């Protein structure tokens, strides 16, 4: 096969790159040809959706990148039940734009609307409602997987259940999702009632999230990691019951679409260069202090109505915000810690980062619940996601810090998330995944992909040494 000329692809954090051929099949026949050519020529394939994973989980320097984003048709939709069968390249944005007019919203969404459902299922994505609604996988009823040999396998909780629970969250290692059947959530109104809450420390945020969980549908906490006390703001939200007369209007795309200008004046394209200028520790300290101040003012005002899109995809307000981290990019270190040890562990991570002199510019906390998928990152507890600016000058120091933070998280029985990872080793994966689950996953990888057709930078680093 004549592979396309290599091009530079990156992870979302702009700190992992590869110069590789990228193929983008338009239909399942083309996908089958790519798989056959890779087998015939002994090429490995790195599966990719929208490339929104932060590190190297959707690219590999030695592989052909097989991008499934053009397989993006909705094959069947039942608007009486909200059950859809879609191709893997359908995005979260396509789902809400299609579903909302019928009163349906994706049951789980990440903090951006651009990922594909293939990518979300492969990572078993969680949202701000993980503590209540589980992960993407919890709402998948069935899928079809094409393996390295070209075999089509249908999987559900009752058919090939072992593969069902392994491929969801299996970061593209067992085969290509070619169709996914999932159930959307029925909603009466396209708005949420959002309440801000001020917190004064990491321990305060953990206990406030715990307290608010019963009465909230969504919760997310922003932690000021550069402030002295790690205070922050939690936004809790519940589905709003709109009066019947305007409920329909809130379900329209026009009501949901994000504004094109900040505060109605500043074109959004200008924001990342402005952020870039402030991307120093003092600059970010000021940005964080302003954010805390405005959060405190909002908290005094009480609950406000917000569109589902506005609340869910806050990070999409600023196009290309990641470029503010150039030239080095950034790495996210997200750890998931069982509830009893979460506050102490996260405080220890903060102290380690301060001592190392590499402080994260962003900290986000969420509450989680366990799920039945083999390699799941979710725990009955909390996660803290920390965005660290990186570059050649601080990369060795960051690695050393990441190793120390990893030990602290592992000692607390914590877990990690391949979608956000850039540093995990196979030893770490072995220590956080329960032994029986890991053995089952490795056995499936050997059975379904004995020649390691599906590989990524992440899998070479964190999985293959265990095979
Ligand atoms: C701004 C931002 C906010 C985010 N917020 C969250 C969040 O709140 N919660 C959360 O869980 N995640 C979050 N993420 C991470 C993101 O949701 C995941 O990385 C998701 O997997 C991205 O989907 P994608 O289509 O871009 O997949 P990619 O990143 O391209 O790929 C992800 C994985 O899926 C595999 N894959 C892709 N397509 C297929 C296929 N057809 N068959 C089999 N395997 C496939 C790839 O090999 C890779 O391992 C966020 C990311 C960004 C950029």
């Amino acid at each position: 096969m004549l592979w396309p000329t290599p091009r530079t692809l990156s992870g979302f954090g702009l700190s992992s790159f590869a110069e590789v051929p990228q193929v983008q099949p338009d239909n399942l026949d083309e996908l089958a040809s790519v798989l056959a050519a890779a087998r015939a020529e002994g090429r490995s394939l790195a599966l990719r959706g929208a490339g929104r994973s932060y590190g190297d989980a959707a690219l590999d320097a030695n592989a052909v990148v097989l991008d499934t984003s053009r397989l993006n048709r909705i094959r069947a939709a039942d608007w009486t039940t909200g059950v859809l069968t879609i191709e893997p390249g359908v995005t979260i944005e396509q789902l809400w734009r299609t579903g909302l007019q019928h009163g349906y919203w994706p049951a789980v969404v990440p903090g951006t609307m651009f990922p594909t459902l293939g990518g979300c299922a492969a990572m078993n994505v969680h949202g701000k409602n993980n503590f209540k609604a589980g992960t993407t996988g919890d709402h998948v009823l069935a899928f079809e997987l094409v393996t390295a040999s070209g075999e089509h396998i249908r999987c559900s909780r009752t058919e090939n259940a072992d593969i069902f629970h392994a491929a969801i969250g299996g970061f593209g290692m067992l085969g290509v999702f070619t169709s996914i059947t999932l159930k959307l959530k029925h909603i009466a109104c396209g708005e949420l009632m959002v309440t801000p809450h001020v917190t004064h420390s990491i321990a305060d945020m953990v206990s406030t999230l715990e307290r608010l969980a019963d009465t909230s549908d969504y919760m997310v906490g922003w932690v000021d990691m550069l402030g002295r006390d790690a205070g922050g703001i939690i936004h809790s939200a519940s589905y709003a019951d709109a009066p019947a007369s305007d409920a329909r209007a809130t379900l329209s795309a026009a009501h949901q679409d994000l504004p094109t200008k900040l505060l109605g004046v500043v074109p959004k394209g200008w924001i990342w260069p402005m952020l870039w200028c402030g991307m120093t520790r003092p600059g970010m300290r000021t940005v964080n202090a302003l954010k805390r101040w405005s959060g405190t003012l909002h908290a005094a005002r009480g609950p406000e109505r917000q569109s589902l899109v506005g609340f869910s995809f806050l990070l999409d307000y600023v196009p290309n915000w990641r470029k503010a981290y150039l030239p080095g990019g950034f790495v996210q270190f997200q750890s998931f810690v069982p509830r009893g040890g979460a506050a102490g562990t996260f405080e220890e991570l903060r102290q380690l980062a301060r001592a190392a002199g590499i402080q994260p510019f962003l900290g986000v906390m969420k509450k989680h619940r366990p799920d039945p998928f083999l390699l799941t990152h979710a725990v009955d507890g909390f996660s803290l996601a920390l965005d660290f600016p990186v570059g050649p000058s601080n990369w060795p120091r960051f690695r050393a810090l990441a190793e120390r933070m990893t030990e602290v998280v592992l000692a607390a029985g914590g877990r990690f998330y391949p979608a956000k990872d850039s540093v995990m080793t196979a030893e770490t994966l072995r220590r956080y995944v329960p032994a029986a689950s890991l053995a089952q996953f490795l056995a499936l990888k050997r059975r379904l992909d004995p020649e390691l057709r599906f590989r990524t930078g992440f899998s070479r680093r964190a999985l293959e040494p265990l095979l």
Side-chain angles (χ1 to χ4, degrees):
M1 182 163 182
L2 193 58
W3 301 103
T5 311
R7 54 181 296 231
T8 304
L9 291 177
S10 74
F12 183 79
L14 298 174
S15 55
S16 311
F17 290 90
E19 183 90 8
V20 278
Q22 179 183 24
V23 283
Q24 297 177 300
D26 281 311
N27 54 54
L28 294 186
D29 289 340
E30 284 181 25
L31 175 74
S33 308
V34 172
L35 285 170
R39 278 196 302 274
E41 297 175 30
R43 300 288 305 248
S44 55
L45 298 167
L47 301 182
R48 187 172 174 97
R52 252 60 189 185
S53 293
Y54 278 47
D56 51 1
L59 76 163
D60 178 47
N62 301 309
V64 171
V65 166
L66 169 49
D67 173 333
T68 57
S69 61
R70 285 194 189 157
L71 303 173
N72 60 0
R73 280 152 286 249
I74 294 178
R75 290 200 197 143
D78 178 347
W79 295 118
T80 56
T81 59
V83 173
L84 267 58
T85 297
I86 58 171
E87 292 183 348
V90 167
T91 61
I92 296 282
E93 179 177 14
Q94 262 177 285
L95 276 193
W96 77 253
R97 284 194 188 279
T98 314
L100 215 50
Q101 58 194 301
H102 300 282
Y104 284 96
W105 174 255
V108 170
V109 299
T112 169
M113 65 174 98
F114 304 118
T116 66
L117 265 296
C120 289
M123 286 303 183
N124 199 20
V125 158
H126 62 264
K128 300 174 183 69
N129 57 355
N130 188 227
F131 64 102
K132 203 147 242 181
T135 51
T136 296
D138 284 313
H139 304 272
V140 171
L141 305 179
F143 59 76
E144 214 166 275
L145 194 76
V146 177
T147 65
S149 67
E151 185 189 359
H152 287 243
I153 306 181
R154 192 171 162 77
C155 304
S156 68
R157 284 175 181 77
T158 51
E159 200 178 351
N160 296 306
D162 53 345
I163 303 177
F164 182 85
H165 290 99
I168 291 179
F171 48 90
M173 286 297 105
L174 302 182
V176 189
F177 293 117
T178 51
S179 93
I180 299 174
T181 300
L182 79 169
K183 188 165 168 54
L184 305 186
K185 179 176 173 53
H186 187 257
I187 48 165
C189 168
E191 289 183 335
L192 297 169
M193 290 305 297
V194 181
T195 311
H197 313 262
V198 177
T199 57
H200 302 286
S201 65
I202 283 180
D204 186 21
M205 182 168 283
V206 167
S207 60
T208 308
L209 287 171
E210 198 76 270
R211 179 169 56 77
L212 294 171
D214 282 347
T215 51
S216 309
D217 292 311
Y218 295 88
M219 297 189 299
V220 61
W222 166 79
V223 190
D224 178 2
M225 294 300 291
L226 297 174
R228 198 164 301 156
D229 53 1
I233 310 286
I234 292 173
H235 286 95
S236 65
S238 304
Y239 292 104
D241 299 318
S245 56
D246 58 41
R248 269 234 69 79
T250 67
L251 297 175
S252 69
H255 186 78
Q256 297 290 331
D257 271 326
L258 297 174
T260 53
K261 292 191 173 159
L262 183 70
L263 307 172
V265 194
V266 185
K268 290 206 296 185
W270 295 5
I271 303 177
W272 81 257
M274 284 158 47
L275 269 177
W276 184 82
C277 296
M279 220 52 169
T280 57
R281 210 180 297 175
M284 286 313 290
R285 213 168 256 145
T286 310
V287 170
N288 283 8
L290 287 173
K291 194 167 155 58
R292 255 174 107 163
W293 173 71
S294 88
T296 308
L297 287 184
H298 275 110
R301 285 213 300 263
E304 275 179 4
R305 298 177 82 95
Q306 225 180 314
S307 72
L308 274 160
V309 166
F311 177 79
S312 306
F313 308 125
L314 188 66
L315 291 166
D316 294 342
Y317 271 95
V318 182
N320 288 320
W321 60 265
R322 61 183 175 157
K323 288 191 182 174
Y325 282 94
L326 286 174
F330 70 103
V331 168
Q332 187 172 102
F333 185 93
Q334 185 173 20
S335 55
F336 298 73
V337 179
R339 46 167 74 184
T345 303
F346 295 154
E347 182 56 33
E348 207 174 332
L349 300 187
R350 185 172 86 93
Q351 296 300 345
L352 281 174
R354 279 175 90 89
I358 318 174
Q359 279 170 272
F361 284 177
L362 181 70
V364 174
M365 199 185 290
K366 292 186 202 135
K367 182 166 159 59
H368 299 272
R369 76 173 198 201
D371 59 62
F373 300 99
L374 279 189
L375 300 188
T376 187
H377 53 277
V379 293
D380 180 9
F382 299 85
S383 70
L384 181 66
L386 303 173
D387 285 5
F388 289 91
V390 291
S393 63
N394 74 351
W395 186 247
R397 270 192 306 139
F398 173 73
R399 274 210 76 98
L401 170 64
E403 275 170 31
R404 285 197 293 278
M405 293 195 298
T406 298
E407 281 306 320
V408 170
V409 172
L410 288 172
R415 292 175 173 235
F416 298 95
Y417 185 21
K420 302 293 183 68
D421 181 73
S422 298
V423 292
M424 195 196 296
T425 63
E427 181 56 12
T428 301
L429 188 80
R430 190 190 62 72
R431 286 171 66 190
Y432 83 76
V433 178
S437 306
L438 184 58
Q440 205 182 331
F441 187 84
L442 294 174
L444 281 170
K445 177 73 176 166
R446 288 188 203 104
R447 189 180 109 207
L448 297 176
D449 186 16
E451 292 174 338
L452 301 186
R453 187 73 54 223
F454 301 118
R455 312 176 88 166
T456 60
F458 175 81
S459 75
R460 283 177 194 274
R461 192 156 39 78
L463 184 75
E464 290 183 16
L466 302 174
L467 279 165

